[in-house]
Amino acid sequence: MTIFLIVLDHFLYYLVKLCGPWISNMPSTNIGINVNFKVGAEVGICQIFSLDSQVELLNFNRTYTARIHSDPNVCEAQSSKLNPGVVTALLFLYLFSYALLPLEVYARRLRRKVAASFFQAQEGRRVEFLIEKIQTKQKERQNEVFFITKHQDKEVFGIIDQL
C-alpha cells in the first residue's frame, strides 16, 4: 500500500506539472449545493382517532455556494516533489520491521529456555503434555485416512462389479 501511495504521489505530481498551464487557462466556475432536510415524527395517539399523526420537528433548507478558481496564484498549496529522504526513511522502517519478525521467534525460544532452566519440573510436565497432544493428533489423522481409504475401496469394488 505504501509503494502504491508513493507511485501515485509521483504520478499526480507530474500530471499537475504537465497539465498546469492548460488548467490555468480555464475560467472560474461557480458551484452550489442545496441542502433540504426535514425531520418528522408520528404521534401514536392520533393514529387511534384517524387524525393526521405527522408532526414536523425540523425543516432545514439552505443553499451553499462557492467559486472555483483555476488561477494558480489563488491556490494555497503548491505542488512539490516527494522528498527522497522520506522514501528512504520508509524503506528503512519496513526493513527494520521485517528484520524483527525472525528475531521475535528467537526471543520466544530464548524466553522458553530461560523459564525451563528455572522451573524444571513445570518444563517436564509441559513437554509431556505437548508430546501427548502431538500423538493424539497423529492417531486422529491415521483414523481419518483409514476411513477415507475404506470408503474409496467400496466405491471401486462397486464399479468393478458393475462392469
Side-chain angles (χ1 to χ4, degrees), residues 1-158:
M1 185 66 174
T2 306
I3 293 172
F4 172 74
L5 288 175
I6 291 172
V7 169
L8 183 66
D9 189 12
H10 280 292
F11 174 73
L12 289 177
Y13 171 75
Y14 288 114
L15 183 70
V16 167
K17 285 295 180 188
L18 182 68
C19 298
W22 178 74
I23 292 173
S24 65
N25 290 333
M26 292 178 64
S28 298
T29 306
N30 288 328
I31 61 168
I33 297 174
N34 186 18
V35 177
N36 188 6
F37 185 70
K38 290 184 181 181
V39 177
E42 290 187 17
V43 180
I45 194 77
C46 294
Q47 291 177 349
I48 296 172
F49 300 113
S50 299
L51 298 173
D52 185 22
S53 63
Q54 215 36 304
V55 177
E56 187 173 298
L57 299 175
L58 177 70
N59 187 0
F60 181 81
N61 190 3
R62 193 171 290 169
T63 302
Y64 298 96
T65 59
R67 184 171 183 86
I68 297 177
H69 301 279
S70 61
D71 185 16
N73 297 328
V74 176
C75 225
E76 294 177 7
Q78 297 294 325
S79 62
S80 62
K81 210 171 192 181
L82 186 63
N83 187 356
V86 173
V87 177
T88 306
L90 284 173
L91 176 70
F92 282 127
L93 284 174
Y94 275 111
L95 289 176
F96 182 69
S97 66
Y98 288 130
L100 286 179
L101 288 174
L103 292 176
E104 180 183 355
V105 173
Y106 290 118
R108 285 185 184 179
R109 289 181 182 177
L110 182 62
R111 183 183 67 197
R112 181 68 65 198
K113 293 285 185 186
V114 170
S117 68
F118 284 107
F119 305 104
Q120 294 173 356
Q122 177 65 26
E123 183 63 19
R125 286 189 298 237
R126 186 183 76 85
V127 169
E128 288 174 9
F129 170 77
L130 290 175
I131 290 172
E132 185 178 317
K133 189 175 178 181
I134 291 171
Q135 288 174 347
T136 305
K137 281 186 181 181
Q138 287 177 348
K139 286 179 183 176
E140 287 176 1
R141 287 183 186 159
Q142 288 175 354
N143 290 341
E144 288 176 8
V145 171
F146 175 73
F147 288 127
I148 292 171
T149 308
K150 187 176 179 183
H151 182 67
Q152 288 176 350
D153 290 341
K154 284 183 180 178
E155 288 180 2
V156 171
F157 288 128

